[in-house]
């Protein structure tokens, strides 16, 4: 008997599927459509990770099943290839980023193909291809045209190691998302995108999509909408006055405000320079604050520091009391108005500060949420008092967001050039659409300069151009886009990857969008996911796409950790390379194992034993082909096996939809273990259920059964509710031969089970209490008789 040999069968079927063009997808069809997507990989020098395999195998299983269920399925793949990792890799290895990208893509492609994933390779895209980024630039021009892109001199997060400005989303726990170096600050002229204009819609439209709750809440918290009031305080400077607005979410506590705080960057401080009596001290404090990151400053547990502005006072508008004004770094310049009314009795940070500097602490809301010590508002509910007090002092209701406009320029070589020309006479001039793409010039030196200028700035014959408007001397913008730019809209390009008139044809967009299912990493929730939802809304507003949300359903896979429970990392030497696994065990075992390893959305440590278990299981399926009773007709198959078969169909069908791959596979394992005598028909069903997870072996065994077509041209098995049901019978319980009770049990129940059930029944316990049981007589499907000593 032939042994299971994945190396012999896998390449063969991969070629077969490719030659038949099974995964080429039509852009119109009588079948209902399903657009299923996995986040496209970044082709790094490290090659494919087993984490990629987890996501891709899972969604591949969904696609294969959906095709068998009669859907027109689109399952594309491509490369998200601009950005720092490739640039760093290129610098380190002394090859050009474009050559490095080509090399890495070739490797990734070979690896993905060796897994037998059912991607439609004819739609492959690459974000670094000028024909692709032409449209990334085109979207930028549209944003610019609608005043959604602008330049501003702002302090940005600066990674001293990557020598690059970072968006807030790219700073994780105060460190660079890529290299984990603590982030500093640098003031640079930056391109910004007004994502904040879409803040409300980005929150509200989450109601209409099927995303995991944790994804929704992360996005909502990141956007950080907070409703409050802007209240003006009078600042007394000798005998003149100025006005200072503060943002507060608790105007109801205004009577409890005992001092004001300005952020060190607040412009009022500079304006009061001549009036502040302790200017040197203030100035020194402000310099110190500059060195700290936002995270260090806002840390709740940190020691609060500050300096009073001597010679300056403020007037609390609620009670006209004079209060001191401080500068303190726990107030940020980038939020609200950059100044706060401090209420130490009701705000922890203010409390800590007041304790330290001996400032009055005045309670104004009691534990029943009613106002006290607040003049005519005493006794009012705080929720009502909020807006009443705001009105009383002439404040206005305002909404603030944590979300900032998106820093959209990078001072690096390996990115899409921003298609803007700077002209002394005309200012910022968009590159005319007909001149797109603005191609990235091929240069020998692409190291970051570290000065805050892009390496493109020194390529004078690229930089110096004629102004498209006036024809005068002008310069190209030399910053490039962040590595999130290309992934903002890539799912649209798959619909029409060769189109050179538009980012994609309108009919195709109408047919395929919105996407039905999008799987990707949790770590992209407030980055790519948020950015691409925003860009899609913008495209909707300018009439390019038919709906305002791109993804109907989002799921996220958990990480695959190393066998030692740590993150896989070269430095720990614990990385599992999918190539090695495919070589040794075959792609089917790898895929099956990654689906079986545990709940899909949870982080799971790699287990070589688990992998071996899956390999053994596939061997068992292989052996089963020799046990198939070709002449056994189905109604002679044992009833219990056919019942189990139908139960398994139901389980696998439902579990694939709900991401419960591990339980689907264990159901298949149980079925195989019970299938010692199996009819050809039942074995075929079993193979169809296995096919989404282990497509190669399923196809091979299917063809060994004499089938001429592909198993993937078959339709998905249906279960029969009637056949699934356990037969129930009424069993009679006798004590010493007399009828005493009856019990409903499954027909095939064993003697042991019945004994247990019977002896546990209250009635039976009463009858046999205190008596010795001599023997038990069991007649299958009829009765159980307990014989006791009288
Ligand atoms: C008085 C007050 C009393 C406050 C109270 C809170 C509790 P969220 O919910 O995050 O929007 N705040 C305003 N601007 C700030 C800034 N630039 N830097 C640091 N803190 C700032 O928080 C809003 C609250 O954070 C505001 O309401 C303000 O303190 C503070 F019992 O005003 B509150
Ligand atoms: Zn000009």
């Amino acid at each position: 008997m032939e042994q299971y040999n994945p190396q012999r069968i896998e390449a063969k079927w991969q070629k077969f599927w490719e030659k038949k063009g099974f995964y080429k997808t039509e852009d119109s069809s009588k079948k209902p459509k399903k657009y299923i997507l996995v986040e496209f990989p970044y082709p790094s020098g490290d090659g494919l990770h087993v984490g990629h395999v987890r996501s891709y195998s899972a969604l591949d299983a969904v696609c294969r099943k959906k095709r068998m269920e009669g859907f027109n399925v689109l399952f594309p793949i491509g490369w998200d290839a601009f950005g720092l990792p490739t640039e760093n890799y290129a610098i380190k290895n002394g090859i050009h980023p474009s050559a490095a990208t080509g090399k890495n893509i070739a490797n990734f492609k070979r690896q993905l193909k060796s897994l037998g994933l059912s991607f439609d390779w004819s739609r492959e895209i690459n974000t670094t291809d000028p024909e692709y980024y032409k449209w990334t630039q085109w979207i930028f021009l549209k944003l610019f045209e609608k005043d959604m892109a602008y330049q501003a001199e702002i302090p940005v997060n600066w990674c001293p190691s990557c020598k690059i400005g970072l968006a807030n989303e790219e700073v994780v726990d105060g460190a660079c998302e890529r290299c984990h170096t603590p982030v500093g600050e640098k003031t640079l002229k930056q391109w910004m995108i007004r994502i904040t204009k879409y803040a409300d819609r980005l929150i509200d439209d989450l109601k209409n999509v099927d995303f995991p709750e944790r994804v929704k809440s992360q996005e909502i918290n990141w956007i950080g909408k907070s409703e409050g009031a802007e209240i003006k305080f009078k600042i007394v400077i000798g005998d003149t006055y100025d006005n200072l607005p503060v943002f507060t979410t608790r105007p109801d506590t205004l009577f409890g405000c005992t001092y004001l705080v300005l952020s060190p960057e607040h412009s009022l401080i500079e304006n009061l320079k001549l009036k502040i009596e302790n200017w040197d001290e203030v100035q020194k404090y402000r310099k110190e604050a500059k060195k700290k990151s936002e995270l260090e400053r806002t840390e709740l547990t940190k020691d609060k520091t500050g300096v009073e502005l001597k010679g300056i006072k403020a007037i609390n508008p609620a009670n006209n009391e004079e209060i001191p004004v401080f500068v303190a770094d726990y107030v940020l310049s980038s939020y609200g108005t950059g100044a706060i009314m401090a209420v130490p009795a009701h705000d922890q940070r203010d409390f800590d500060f007041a304790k330290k500097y001996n400032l009055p602490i005045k309670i104004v809301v009691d534990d029943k949420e009613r106002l006290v010590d607040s003049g005519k508002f005493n006794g009012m509910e705080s929720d009502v008092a909020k807006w009443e007090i705001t009105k009383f002092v002439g404040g206005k209701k305002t909404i603030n967001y944590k979300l900032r406009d998106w820093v959209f320029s990078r001072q690096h070589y390996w990115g899409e050039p921003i298609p803007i020309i700077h002209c002394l006479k005309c200012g910022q001039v968009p590159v005319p659409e007909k001149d797109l793409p603005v191609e990235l010039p091929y240069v020998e030196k692409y190291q970051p300069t570290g000065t805050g200028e892009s390496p493109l700035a020194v390529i004078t014959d690229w930089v110096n151009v004629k102004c498209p408007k006036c024809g005068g001397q002008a310069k190209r913008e030399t910053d490039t886009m962040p590595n999130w730019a290309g992934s903002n809209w890539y799912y649209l390009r798959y619909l029409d990857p060769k189109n050179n008139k538009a980012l994609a044809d309108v009919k195709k967009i109408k047919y395929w969008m919105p996407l039905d299912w999008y799987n990707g990493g949790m770590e992209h929730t407030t980055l790519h996911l948020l950015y691409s939802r925003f860009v899609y809304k913008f495209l909707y507003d300018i009439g390019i796409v038919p709906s305002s949300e791109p993804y109907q359903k989002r799921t996220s896979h958990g990480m695959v950790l190393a066998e030692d429970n740590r993150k896989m990392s070269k430095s720990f030497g614990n990385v599992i390379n999918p190539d090695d696994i495919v070589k040794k065990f075959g792609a089917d075992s790898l895929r099956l194992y990654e689906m079986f390893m545990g709940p899909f959305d949870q982080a799971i440590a790699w287990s070589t034993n688990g992998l071996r278990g899956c390999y053994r299981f596939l061997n068992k399926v292989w052996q089963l082909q020799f046990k198939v009773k070709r002449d056994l007709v189905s109604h002679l198959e044992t009833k219990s096996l056919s019942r189990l078969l139908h139960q398994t169909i139901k389980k696998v069908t439902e579990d694939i939809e709900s991401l419960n791959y591990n339980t689907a596979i264990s159901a298949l394992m149980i079925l195989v273990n019970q299938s010692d005598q199996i009819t050809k028909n039942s074995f075929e069903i079993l193979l169809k259920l296995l096919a989404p997870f282990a497509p190669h072996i399923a196809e091979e065994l299917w063809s060994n059964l004499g089938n001429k077509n592909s198993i993937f041209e078959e339709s998905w098995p249906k279960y029969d509710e009637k056949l699934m049901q356990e037969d129930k019978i009424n069993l009679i319980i006798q004590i010493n031969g007399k009828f005493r009770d009856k019990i409903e049990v499954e027909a095939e129940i064993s003697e042991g089970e019945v004994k247990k059930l019977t002896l546990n029944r209250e009635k039976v316990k009463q009858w046999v209490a205190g008596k010795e049981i001599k023997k038990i007589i069991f007649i299958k499907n009829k009765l159980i008789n307990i014989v006791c000593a009288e």
Side-chain angles (χ1 to χ4, degrees):
M1 273 185 295
E2 202 192 331
Q3 293 300 305
Y4 172 45
N5 179 354
Q7 283 67 36
R8 192 184 61 74
I9 62 176
E10 291 185 348
K12 176 179 80 182
W13 291 114
Q14 284 160 17
K15 259 186 231 122
F16 172 82
W17 296 325
E18 193 164 318
K19 214 170 96 205
K20 289 259 179 173
F22 270 166
Y23 309 123
K24 279 224 175 79
T25 310
E26 300 302 322
D27 289 310
S28 68
S29 167
K30 285 205 180 67
K31 298 176 185 175
K33 70 97 184 175
K34 283 276 177 226
Y35 184 0
I36 296 174
L37 188 64
V38 286
E39 283 177 353
F40 61 164
Y42 191 93
S44 73
D46 298 338
L48 203 68
H49 189 277
V50 285
H52 291 120
V53 180
R54 193 174 189 192
S55 155
Y56 301 168
S57 301
L59 278 286
D60 189 56
V62 173
C63 289
R64 288 179 181 274
K65 168 173 176 267
K66 288 281 172 213
R67 291 192 194 97
M68 291 169 85
E69 285 177 335
F71 288 92
N72 185 33
V73 173
L74 176 57
F75 188 44
I77 191 76
W79 317 105
D80 185 16
F82 268 135
L84 275 182
T86 301
E87 192 170 295
N88 292 341
Y89 174 89
I91 291 169
K92 203 167 138 202
N93 294 284
I95 52 173
H96 195 272
S98 65
T101 298
K103 186 174 151 248
N104 293 344
I105 285 178
N107 187 42
F108 262 70
K109 197 165 175 175
R110 172 192 63 74
Q111 291 187 295
L112 288 179
K113 289 203 164 183
S114 80
L115 293 171
L117 298 161
S118 65
F119 292 126
D120 180 352
W121 283 101
S122 73
R123 294 170 185 259
E124 179 181 349
I125 56 163
N126 173 347
T127 56
T128 68
D129 177 353
E131 284 308 305
Y132 180 91
Y133 68 70
K134 170 179 177 177
W135 300 103
T136 311
Q137 292 174 332
W138 181 85
I139 292 172
F140 182 89
L141 289 182
K142 291 289 153 193
L143 287 164
F144 182 76
E145 192 181 303
K146 301 284 175 200
D147 190 35
M148 289 289 293
Y150 64 99
Q151 245 184 333
E153 187 98 29
I154 58 149
V156 295
N157 307 299
W158 179 259
C159 173
S161 164
C162 298
K163 295 180 179 139
I164 192 174
L166 301 171
N168 283 351
E169 289 82 357
E170 293 169 306
V171 179
V172 179
D173 297 331
C176 170
E177 186 231 3
R178 288 271 180 215
C179 75
H180 313 297
T181 306
V183 164
E185 235 178 49
K186 197 174 176 116
T187 299
L188 286 176
K189 203 164 189 188
Q190 296 281 352
W191 282 95
M192 310 283 290
I193 305 281
R194 291 189 210 280
I195 189 173
T196 48
K197 271 203 161 169
Y198 283 70
D200 278 332
R201 286 165 68 189
L202 286 167
I203 293 174
D204 295 344
D205 292 352
L206 286 173
K207 286 191 202 90
N208 309 325
V209 291
D210 174 13
F211 288 10
E213 272 318 308
R214 59 183 178 144
V215 170
K216 289 188 182 182
S217 58
Q218 262 192 32
E219 291 212 341
I220 290 168
N221 291 339
W222 183 260
I223 296 166
K225 182 175 183 173
S226 108
E227 211 179 45
E230 208 172 283
I231 290 176
K232 284 205 178 91
F233 280 68
K234 238 186 220 166
I235 304 291
V236 191
I237 319 146
D239 25 313
T240 60
Y241 292 104
D242 205 344
N243 271 320
L244 175 74
V246 303
F247 172 68
T248 175
T249 46
R250 296 290 307 275
D252 53 311
T253 63
L254 184 54
F255 283 85
C257 165
T258 53
Y259 61 97
L260 289 190
V261 185
L262 303 178
S263 67
E265 299 83 1
H266 203 287
S267 59
L268 187 67
I269 302 179
E270 206 61 47
N271 296 342
L272 294 176
K273 185 173 175 175
L274 299 174
K275 308 284 178 186
I276 296 174
E277 291 161 10
N278 55 340
W279 177 252
D280 288 349
E281 191 190 1
V282 168
Q283 195 58 1
K284 188 164 156 250
Y285 181 79
R286 294 171 75 209
K287 278 216 182 98
E288 281 302 308
K290 245 204 165 102
K291 293 185 197 147
K292 294 189 197 161
S293 72
E294 202 164 286
L295 192 86
E296 283 175 82
R297 286 172 49 170
T298 50
E299 190 98 67
L300 262 178
T301 52
K302 99 165 180 103
D303 184 37
K304 303 284 176 296
T305 59
V307 174
E308 186 179 349
L309 306 182
K310 297 266 169 64
I312 310 293
K313 292 282 176 198
I315 306 288
N316 182 335
N319 52 18
N320 288 319
E321 272 171 28
E322 210 176 69
I323 53 174
V325 182
F326 284 80
V327 53
D329 65 8
Y330 75 95
V331 175
L332 300 176
S333 60
S334 55
Y335 191 63
T337 64
I340 65 154
M341 57 179 242
V343 185
H346 301 286
D347 182 283
Q348 186 62 42
R349 290 162 303 179
D350 299 343
F351 178 80
D352 296 343
F353 191 83
K355 273 272 176 214
K356 184 165 171 186
Y357 294 98
N358 259 321
L359 295 155
I361 298 170
K362 186 177 159 199
I363 294 173
V364 288
V365 181
D366 68 11
D367 46 13
K368 290 191 207 72
E369 300 294 311
R370 284 181 191 278
L371 267 61
V372 293
D373 222 349
S374 297
K376 64 174 182 177
F377 299 97
N378 282 345
M380 196 182 272
E381 273 177 52
S382 91
D383 269 356
V384 180
K386 255 185 187 178
W387 310 122
E388 288 304 315
I389 291 184
T390 301
K391 229 193 300 171
F392 173 64
V393 298
K396 62 170 196 265
K397 207 169 170 167
T398 41
I399 292 172
N400 258 301
Y401 300 89
K402 294 254 162 18
L403 185 71
R404 300 275 80 106
D405 275 346
W406 178 12
V407 181
F408 201 72
S409 41
R410 299 292 181 274
Q411 300 69 45
H412 269 254
Y413 172 69
W414 195 233
E416 302 87 346
I418 291 175
I420 295 286
I421 289 168
H422 299 280
C423 168
L424 276 178
K425 242 171 59 200
C426 317
Q428 298 162 344
V429 183
V431 171
E433 240 177 88
K434 66 169 178 39
D435 294 339
L436 293 184
V438 177
E439 283 199 41
L440 193 60
Y442 189 92
V443 292
E444 294 304 326
K445 271 193 70 180
Y446 40 81
Q447 275 79 352
T449 61
T451 59
E453 238 188 352
S454 152
L456 291 177
V458 297
I459 309 168
T460 43
D461 55 347
W462 181 79
V463 170
N464 294 319
V465 283
K466 293 249 153 20
C467 168
K469 246 190 196 161
C470 72
Q473 269 301 331
K475 281 186 189 310
R476 284 192 191 282
E477 170 62 54
T478 57
D479 278 359
T480 53
M481 298 187 198
N483 57 322
W484 310 104
S487 58
N488 273 331
W489 67 281
Y490 75 111
Y491 48 86
L492 290 171
R493 191 61 178 172
Y494 284 137
L495 310 182
D496 203 5
K498 310 243 154 50
N499 196 327
N500 57 11
K501 304 245 157 40
L503 50 83
D505 174 71
V506 182
K507 272 218 277 316
K508 293 178 184 174
I509 295 176
K510 275 219 176 94
Y511 176 68
W512 286 112
M513 294 305 289
L515 247 140
D516 296 275
W517 189 337
Y518 189 21
N519 186 72
M522 233 6 237
E523 71 278 15
H524 294 148
T525 302
T526 55
L527 288 156
H528 161 65
L529 193 69
L530 191 68
Y531 293 152
S532 58
R533 287 182 59 225
F534 153 67
V535 167
Y536 196 76
K537 287 182 191 305
F538 172 76
L539 293 175
Y540 173 65
D541 290 350
I542 62 169
I544 306 289
V545 298
S547 55
S548 67
E549 278 291 330
Y551 320 121
Q552 208 26 253
K553 171 175 173 170
R554 169 80 173 182
T555 54
S556 256
H557 54 281
M559 266 207 296
V560 181
L561 301 171
E563 196 130 26
D564 59 11
N565 252 309
R566 290 190 290 183
K567 218 174 148 163
M568 284 190 196
S569 151
K570 266 198 208 149
S571 57
F572 297 146
N574 59 6
V575 178
I576 302 277
N577 182 342
D579 282 348
D580 300 338
I581 307 295
V582 169
K583 222 182 273 159
K584 208 160 156 197
F585 296 94
D588 282 341
S589 287
L590 173 60
R591 297 175 51 148
L592 191 77
Y593 167 59
E594 291 214 26
M595 296 298 89
F596 184 59
M597 66 192 337
F600 183 67
D601 59 354
Q602 287 171 26
I604 308 280
W606 183 267
S607 151
T608 303
N609 268 339
L611 172 71
R612 282 181 204 284
C614 287
Y615 180 70
R616 274 198 303 274
F617 166 68
L618 290 182
N619 261 298
K620 235 185 225 173
V621 177
W622 183 266
Q623 295 304 324
L624 204 53
Q625 69 177 318
F626 307 115
K627 296 185 188 162
V628 170
K629 296 280 173 283
R630 282 163 193 272
D631 42 3
L632 192 70
V633 276
S634 56
H635 68 267
L636 287 180
E637 193 172 49
T638 66
K639 230 177 166 176
S640 60
L641 182 60
S642 102
R643 185 185 311 125
L644 185 62
L645 183 71
H646 283 269
Q647 287 170 341
T648 310
I649 298 174
K650 180 166 198 277
K651 181 114 190 85
V652 174
T653 304
E654 292 173 357
D655 282 359
I656 288 181
E657 296 294 321
S658 58
L659 301 173
N660 292 310
Y661 305 104
N662 53 333
T663 53
I665 292 166
S666 57
L668 284 170
M669 290 175 169
I670 292 169
L671 179 64
V672 169
N673 280 338
Q674 306 280 315
S675 300
D676 230 18
Q677 297 257 325
I678 192 169
T679 61
K680 177 165 176 272
N681 185 45
S682 297
F683 188 53
E684 287 185 343
I685 292 176
L686 191 158
L687 291 178
K688 288 179 198 171
L689 298 179
L690 180 66
F693 303 108
H696 309 87
I697 190 174
E699 189 78 293
E700 174 78 12
L701 294 178
W702 175 258
S703 109
N704 287 355
L705 287 173
N707 292 302
K708 292 281 167 281
N709 66 338
S710 161
I711 192 167
F712 296 103
E713 290 171 314
E714 289 288 305
S715 47
W716 187 251
K718 291 201 169 47
Y719 54 87
D720 184 334
E721 291 275 2
K722 276 208 290 298
L723 290 176
M724 263 171 53
Q725 264 152 31
E726 308 276 355
D727 292 329
K728 299 275 185 187
I729 50 149
N730 278 320
L731 203 77
I732 289 174
I733 300 176
Q734 297 179 341
I735 315 276
N736 288 343
K738 279 191 198 120
F739 173 85
R740 297 294 183 201
D741 196 1
K742 65 180 180 196
I743 178 174
E744 196 189 59
V745 292
E746 288 154 18
E748 300 300 319
I749 193 165
S750 70
E751 181 168 351
E753 283 287 312
V754 173
K755 270 189 201 165
K756 245 197 294 176
L757 286 174
T758 310
L759 294 174
N760 267 327
R761 289 174 79 80
E762 280 313 313
K763 253 193 186 165
V764 175
K765 278 188 194 159
Q766 279 169 22
W767 281 105
V768 301
K771 293 175 189 161
E772 183 201 346
I773 297 173
K774 285 195 148 165
K775 71 177 173 187
I776 294 177
I777 301 159
F778 175 67
I779 304 173
K780 196 170 174 186
N781 292 349
K782 279 232 164 71
L783 64 80
I784 179 166
N785 183 10
I786 301 169
V787 183
C788 309
E790 288 295 334

